[in-house]
């Protein structure tokens, strides 16, 4: 297939490369010339503007948006709506709020343009390992993009989860669960690191991967972080950003009367890292860097 890809950073650039490796054609656009040069180096073509990108694609067109959620995504979608034709397709693969995705789908539908909200998990490891994608939108639109979804994902790593907005809703909850898992690991390893027993935390991260009930990919990544940064993570500041998805999940749960004590505490714990020096925050920051390439603050 032919795909227009807008946003060629650490996620979009790797997705472009994986698609090209699978035999698809990618036309990319990014405001950063360095990102454009990177994707051109492994076989993508590039456009100088959104109108040029649309002209470079054969109708019915498919364009995937991978830019920061919020105004950047909304502005990009609106700009595309103004220049696309009925029958074209927009995919939002960022961490957009599902409410905004429902609204975007309505704006697209009014112009005869299909819209898919695609929650994408896998971070910087998606290039080699494959992504997990949860998609919302019309069945026909999702079916049309299946060759793209198949190329990007692990076997079993794609699902059409429902109507417009559902893809980003499922990804929102996914990220909230991630918050809780990271918080549990961070707190557990802080107990180990601060104990009276001189525990080798890297050894324990490896140990728990062999037969324990808490074995998981995050422990593999934690071992890598300890190997790179040292057991005490001395160069990683205990400061954690939040992308917004955890907050949105807590807000949704409050509106519905759903108790989420662990996830809610993990969101508040991130706020607390901005005023306190906690080893648990260093662990979580190191893990976020490992799986998502999220920037860490240095000490």
């Amino acid at each position: 297939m032919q795909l227009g890809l807008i946003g060629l950073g650490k996620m979009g650039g790797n997705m472009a490369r994986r698609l090209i490796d699978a035999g698809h054609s990618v036309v990319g656009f990014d405001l950063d010339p360095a990102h454009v040069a990177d994707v051109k180096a492994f076989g993508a073509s590039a456009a100088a503007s959104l109108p040029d990108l649309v002209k470079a694609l054969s109708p019915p067109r498919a364009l995937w948006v991978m830019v920061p959620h919020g105004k950047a995504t909304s502005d990009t979608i609106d700009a595309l709506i103004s220049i696309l034709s009925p029958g074209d397709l927009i995919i939002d693969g960022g961490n957009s709020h599902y409410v905004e995705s429902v609204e975007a789908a309505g704006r697209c539908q009014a112009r005869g343009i299909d819209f898919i909200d695609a929650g994408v998990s896998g971070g910087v490891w998606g290039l080699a390992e494959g992504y997990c994608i949860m998609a919302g939108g019309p069945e026909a639109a999702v079916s049309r993009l299946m060759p793209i979804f198949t190329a990007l994902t692990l076997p079993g790593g794609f699902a059409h989860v429902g109507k417009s907005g559902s893809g980003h809703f499922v990804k929102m909850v996914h990220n909230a669960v991630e918050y809780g898992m990271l918080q549990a690991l961070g707190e557990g390893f802080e107990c180990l690191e601060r104990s009276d027993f001189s525990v080798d935390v890297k050894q324990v991260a490896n140990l728990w991967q062999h037969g324990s009930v808490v074995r998981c990919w995050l422990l593999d990544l934690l071992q890598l972080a300890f190997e790179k940064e040292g057991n005490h993570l001395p160069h990683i500041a205990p400061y954690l950003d939040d992308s917004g998805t955890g907050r949105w999940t807590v807000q949704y749960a409050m509106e519905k009367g759903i108790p989420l004590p662990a996830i809610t505490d993990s969101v508040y714990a991130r706020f607390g890292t901005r005023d306190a020096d906690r080893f648990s925050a260093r662990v979580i920051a190191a893990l976020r860097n490992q799986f998502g390439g999220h920037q860490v603050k240095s000490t």
Side-chain angles (χ1 to χ4, degrees), residues 21-265:
D21 288 344
H24 297 289
S25 172
V26 174
V27 184
F29 171 72
D30 195 288
L31 296 175
D32 188 333
H35 292 162
V36 174
D38 286 343
V39 298
K40 288 178 70 174
F42 52 75
S45 55
S49 66
L50 290 182
D52 286 345
L53 176 61
V54 170
K55 290 177 184 177
L57 300 172
S58 301
R61 305 168 186 88
L63 297 100
W64 192 306
V65 180
M66 285 298 289
V67 301
H69 68 76
K71 180 174 172 53
T73 292
S74 180
D75 287 351
T76 301
I77 291 172
D78 287 342
L80 290 175
I81 290 172
S82 71
I83 56 177
L84 290 176
S85 303
D88 290 341
L89 169 62
I90 297 172
I91 309 99
D92 175 10
N95 276 330
S96 296
H97 196 302
Y98 74 95
V99 174
E100 295 175 356
S101 298
V102 173
E103 294 170 351
R107 298 198 302 276
C108 287
Q109 185 179 18
R111 296 290 297 269
I113 297 166
D114 285 321
F115 180 83
I116 296 172
D117 52 289
V120 182
S121 182
V124 296
W125 293 81
L127 171 60
E129 304 291 337
Y131 299 91
C132 174
I133 296 179
M134 43 224 91
E139 178 65 41
V142 173
S143 296
R144 175 183 157 196
L145 261 288
M146 279 309 301
I148 296 294
F149 293 136
T150 299
L152 288 173
T153 56
L154 283 164
F158 173 81
H160 180 201
V161 296
K163 63 183 180 179
S164 295
S166 63
H168 282 153
F169 179 80
V170 173
K171 180 58 162 50
M172 178 188 77
V173 176
H174 163 284
N175 285 14
V177 171
E178 176 190 300
Y179 274 50
M181 293 174 69
L182 291 173
Q183 189 64 31
L185 285 172
E187 292 177 5
F189 276 86
E190 180 169 355
C191 286
L192 297 174
E193 197 264 348
R194 294 176 59 181
S195 76
D196 298 327
F197 297 103
S198 300
V199 174
D200 182 338
V201 289
K202 184 175 71 173
Q203 179 190 51
V204 173
N206 178 66
L207 171 68
W208 286 355
Q209 286 295 72
H210 296 84
S212 89
V213 297
V214 297
R215 59 188 181 272
C216 62
W217 181 54
L218 291 174
L219 284 173
D220 286 335
L221 297 181
L222 189 54
Q223 291 177 67
L224 293 176
F226 286 141
E227 288 172 7
K228 178 182 177 182
E229 304 290 344
N231 276 12
H232 301 294
L233 305 174
H235 304 299
I236 294 180
Y239 181 98
L240 296 170
D241 285 319
D242 66 291
S243 64
T245 48
R247 299 189 196 199
W248 300 337
T249 304
V250 171
Q251 290 166 354
Y252 176 83
M254 291 179 67
E255 292 170 1
K256 298 294 184 179
I258 303 169
L260 300 182
I263 289 172
T264 301
D265 284 349

